[in-house]
Amino acid sequence: TSEKRPGTFALPDGYEFTPDTRFLTFKKDRVAVKGGRIEDAMMLIEVPDTPEHRGRKYLFLVKTVVAEPDIPIEFLTKVLVTVK
């Protein structure tokens, strides 16, 4: 069975929402991308090496917003992490 947070979507089986969103950071707050191009966002995930995190599966949601669109555009991306 999948867990669900009210007003959102189902989690993949075995995953839980991250206990601390600060585990996921980006090198830059904004990345400029020209039309028809792809750029790296330089994402870093650092989960503390402590017993309570080992073997856990965390879901991070990353929201991407186009800064100055003619039509507002947002993307939600699931980042699934298994802590070893």
Side-chain angles (χ1 to χ4, degrees), residues 18-38:
T18 178
D20 191 337
T21 58
R22 293 174 294 181
F23 293 168
L24 184 142
T25 58
F26 291 87
K27 188 171 181 178
K28 296 179 182 179
D29 288 338
R30 291 175 174 249
V31 176
V33 181
K34 293 181 181 181
R37 301 288 307 250
I38 296 173

